[in-house]
PDB file of all heavy atoms in Angstrom:
ATOM      1  N   MET R   1      -3.128 -18.414 -16.911  1.00 45.00           N
ATOM      2  CA  MET R   1      -3.042 -18.930 -15.559  1.00 45.00           C
ATOM      3  C   MET R   1      -4.448 -19.315 -15.112  1.00 45.00           C
ATOM      4  O   MET R   1      -5.369 -18.531 -15.181  1.00 45.00           O
ATOM      5  CB  MET R   1      -2.450 -17.858 -14.650  1.00 45.00           C
ATOM      6  CG  MET R   1      -2.386 -18.259 -13.215  1.00 45.00           C
ATOM      7  SD  MET R   1      -1.527 -17.054 -12.222  1.00 45.00           S
ATOM      8  CE  MET R   1       0.125 -17.603 -12.450  1.00 45.00           C
ATOM      9  N   SER R   5      -6.939 -17.583  -7.426  1.00 90.00           N
ATOM     10  CA  SER R   5      -6.460 -16.745  -6.343  1.00 90.00           C
ATOM     11  C   SER R   5      -4.994 -17.050  -6.039  1.00 90.00           C
ATOM     12  O   SER R   5      -4.596 -18.201  -6.007  1.00 90.00           O
ATOM     13  CB  SER R   5      -7.324 -17.020  -5.108  1.00 90.00           C
ATOM     14  OG  SER R   5      -6.710 -16.603  -3.939  1.00 90.00           O
ATOM     15  N   TYR R  14       9.148 -10.734  -1.178  1.00 95.00           N
ATOM     16  CA  TYR R  14       8.773 -10.821  -2.590  1.00 95.00           C
ATOM     17  C   TYR R  14       7.286 -10.572  -2.837  1.00 95.00           C
ATOM     18  O   TYR R  14       6.782 -10.850  -3.916  1.00 95.00           O
ATOM     19  CB  TYR R  14       9.179 -12.186  -3.146  1.00 95.00           C
ATOM     20  CG  TYR R  14      10.659 -12.417  -3.027  1.00 95.00           C
ATOM     21  CD1 TYR R  14      11.166 -13.262  -2.062  1.00 95.00           C
ATOM     22  CD2 TYR R  14      11.550 -11.742  -3.860  1.00 95.00           C
ATOM     23  CE1 TYR R  14      12.536 -13.451  -1.927  1.00 95.00           C
ATOM     24  CE2 TYR R  14      12.914 -11.919  -3.730  1.00 95.00           C
ATOM     25  CZ  TYR R  14      13.396 -12.775  -2.773  1.00 95.00           C
ATOM     26  OH  TYR R  14      14.745 -12.945  -2.648  1.00 95.00           O
ATOM     27  N   LYS R  30      -4.632  -7.313 -22.062  1.00 77.00           N
ATOM     28  CA  LYS R  30      -3.523  -6.355 -22.017  1.00 77.00           C
ATOM     29  C   LYS R  30      -3.977  -4.897 -22.155  1.00 77.00           C
ATOM     30  O   LYS R  30      -3.336  -4.085 -22.791  1.00 77.00           O
ATOM     31  CB  LYS R  30      -2.461  -6.686 -23.080  1.00 77.00           C
ATOM     32  CG  LYS R  30      -1.870  -8.065 -22.921  1.00 77.00           C
ATOM     33  CD  LYS R  30      -1.177  -8.211 -21.577  1.00 77.00           C
ATOM     34  CE  LYS R  30      -0.583  -9.598 -21.415  1.00 77.00           C
ATOM     35  NZ  LYS R  30      -0.354  -9.966 -20.044  1.00 77.00           N
ATOM     36  N   ASN R  60       2.187   8.843  -8.483  1.00 91.00           N
ATOM     37  CA  ASN R  60       1.974   9.495  -9.772  1.00 91.00           C
ATOM     38  C   ASN R  60       2.001   8.505 -10.946  1.00 91.00           C
ATOM     39  O   ASN R  60       2.559   8.814 -11.997  1.00 91.00           O
ATOM     40  CB  ASN R  60       3.013  10.605  -9.962  1.00 91.00           C
ATOM     41  CG  ASN R  60       2.434  11.754 -10.761  1.00 91.00           C
ATOM     42  OD1 ASN R  60       1.222  11.888 -10.884  1.00 91.00           O
ATOM     43  ND2 ASN R  60       3.300  12.584 -11.307  1.00 91.00           N
ATOM     44  N   LEU R  85     -17.940   3.179 -14.196  1.00 92.00           N
ATOM     45  CA  LEU R  85     -16.863   2.406 -14.821  1.00 92.00           C
ATOM     46  C   LEU R  85     -17.330   1.754 -16.119  1.00 92.00           C
ATOM     47  O   LEU R  85     -16.585   1.714 -17.097  1.00 92.00           O
ATOM     48  CB  LEU R  85     -16.326   1.353 -13.851  1.00 92.00           C
ATOM     49  CG  LEU R  85     -15.538   1.890 -12.664  1.00 92.00           C
ATOM     50  CD1 LEU R  85     -15.262   0.779 -11.662  1.00 92.00           C
ATOM     51  CD2 LEU R  85     -14.254   2.553 -13.112  1.00 92.00           C
ATOM     52  N   LYS R 111      -4.579 -11.241  -0.986  1.00 97.00           N
ATOM     53  CA  LYS R 111      -5.054 -12.190  -2.000  1.00 97.00           C
ATOM     54  C   LYS R 111      -5.349 -11.426  -3.283  1.00 97.00           C
ATOM     55  O   LYS R 111      -6.046 -10.419  -3.266  1.00 97.00           O
ATOM     56  CB  LYS R 111      -6.297 -12.928  -1.518  1.00 97.00           C
ATOM     57  CG  LYS R 111      -6.017 -13.816  -0.327  1.00 97.00           C
ATOM     58  CD  LYS R 111      -7.205 -14.653   0.042  1.00 97.00           C
ATOM     59  CE  LYS R 111      -6.823 -15.549   1.218  1.00 97.00           C
ATOM     60  NZ  LYS R 111      -7.769 -16.621   1.404  1.00 97.00           N
ATOM     61  N   GLY R 120     -18.256  -5.266   0.801  1.00 70.00           N
ATOM     62  CA  GLY R 120     -19.233  -5.351   1.884  1.00 70.00           C
ATOM     63  C   GLY R 120     -19.663  -6.760   2.235  1.00 70.00           C
ATOM     64  O   GLY R 120     -20.473  -6.948   3.137  1.00 70.00           O
ATOM     65  N   ASN R 144     -19.233 -12.071  14.262  1.00 65.00           N
ATOM     66  CA  ASN R 144     -20.562 -11.454  14.184  1.00 65.00           C
ATOM     67  C   ASN R 144     -20.470  -9.967  14.483  1.00 65.00           C
ATOM     68  O   ASN R 144     -21.366  -9.212  14.166  1.00 65.00           O
ATOM     69  CB  ASN R 144     -21.527 -12.122  15.170  1.00 65.00           C
ATOM     70  CG  ASN R 144     -21.827 -13.542  14.764  1.00 65.00           C
ATOM     71  OD1 ASN R 144     -21.710 -13.900  13.591  1.00 65.00           O
ATOM     72  ND2 ASN R 144     -22.215 -14.364  15.730  1.00 65.00           N
ATOM     73  N   LEU R 155      -3.290  -0.100  13.009  1.00 90.00           N
ATOM     74  CA  LEU R 155      -2.933   0.787  11.911  1.00 90.00           C
ATOM     75  C   LEU R 155      -1.679   0.296  11.208  1.00 90.00           C
ATOM     76  O   LEU R 155      -1.581   0.338   9.981  1.00 90.00           O
ATOM     77  CB  LEU R 155      -2.741   2.221  12.411  1.00 90.00           C
ATOM     78  CG  LEU R 155      -2.249   3.233  11.378  1.00 90.00           C
ATOM     79  CD1 LEU R 155      -3.224   3.331  10.209  1.00 90.00           C
ATOM     80  CD2 LEU R 155      -2.049   4.585  12.020  1.00 90.00           C
ATOM     81  N   ASN R 156      -0.711  -0.202  11.965  1.00 93.00           N
ATOM     82  CA  ASN R 156       0.528  -0.701  11.381  1.00 93.00           C
ATOM     83  C   ASN R 156       0.253  -1.788  10.348  1.00 93.00           C
ATOM     84  O   ASN R 156       0.857  -1.810   9.275  1.00 93.00           O
ATOM     85  CB  ASN R 156       1.449  -1.233  12.485  1.00 93.00           C
ATOM     86  CG  ASN R 156       2.762  -1.738  11.930  1.00 93.00           C
ATOM     87  OD1 ASN R 156       3.409  -1.076  11.127  1.00 93.00           O
ATOM     88  ND2 ASN R 156       3.151  -2.927  12.353  1.00 93.00           N
ATOM     89  N   LEU R 157      -0.668  -2.702  10.653  1.00 95.00           N
ATOM     90  CA  LEU R 157      -1.002  -3.782   9.732  1.00 95.00           C
ATOM     91  C   LEU R 157      -1.679  -3.236   8.475  1.00 95.00           C
ATOM     92  O   LEU R 157      -1.296  -3.582   7.355  1.00 95.00           O
ATOM     93  CB  LEU R 157      -1.916  -4.803  10.413  1.00 95.00           C
ATOM     94  CG  LEU R 157      -2.456  -5.895   9.482  1.00 95.00           C
ATOM     95  CD1 LEU R 157      -1.322  -6.783   8.975  1.00 95.00           C
ATOM     96  CD2 LEU R 157      -3.516  -6.713  10.192  1.00 95.00           C
ATOM     97  N   GLU R 163       0.854  -0.460   1.710  1.00 98.00           N
ATOM     98  CA  GLU R 163       2.153  -0.228   1.062  1.00 98.00           C
ATOM     99  C   GLU R 163       2.500  -1.333   0.074  1.00 98.00           C
ATOM    100  O   GLU R 163       2.935  -1.066  -1.039  1.00 98.00           O
ATOM    101  CB  GLU R 163       3.268  -0.162   2.108  1.00 98.00           C
ATOM    102  CG  GLU R 163       3.462   1.167   2.751  1.00 98.00           C
ATOM    103  CD  GLU R 163       4.664   1.154   3.677  1.00 98.00           C
ATOM    104  OE1 GLU R 163       4.878   0.162   4.414  1.00 98.00           O
ATOM    105  OE2 GLU R 163       5.401   2.153   3.668  1.00 98.00           O
ATOM    106  N   LEU R 174       4.391  -0.032 -14.166  1.00 92.00           N
ATOM    107  CA  LEU R 174       5.655   0.339 -14.809  1.00 92.00           C
ATOM    108  C   LEU R 174       6.093  -0.715 -15.821  1.00 92.00           C
ATOM    109  O   LEU R 174       6.552  -0.372 -16.920  1.00 92.00           O
ATOM    110  CB  LEU R 174       6.746   0.570 -13.761  1.00 92.00           C
ATOM    111  CG  LEU R 174       6.548   1.798 -12.872  1.00 92.00           C
ATOM    112  CD1 LEU R 174       7.604   1.847 -11.768  1.00 92.00           C
ATOM    113  CD2 LEU R 174       6.538   3.079 -13.683  1.00 92.00           C
ATOM    114  N   ALA R 185       5.283   0.148 -33.750  1.00 47.00           N
ATOM    115  CA  ALA R 185       3.975   0.572 -34.294  1.00 47.00           C
ATOM    116  C   ALA R 185       3.637  -0.243 -35.511  1.00 47.00           C
ATOM    117  O   ALA R 185       4.512  -0.584 -36.302  1.00 47.00           O
ATOM    118  CB  ALA R 185       4.015   2.074 -34.633  1.00 47.00           C
TER     119      ALA R 185
END
Side-chain angles (χ1 to χ4, degrees):
M1 177 174 274
S5 161
Y14 301 105
K30 301 299 180 201
N60 213 18
L85 290 171
K111 295 186 178 195
N144 292 336
L155 175 59
N156 181 48
L157 173 66
E163 276 185 319
L174 292 174

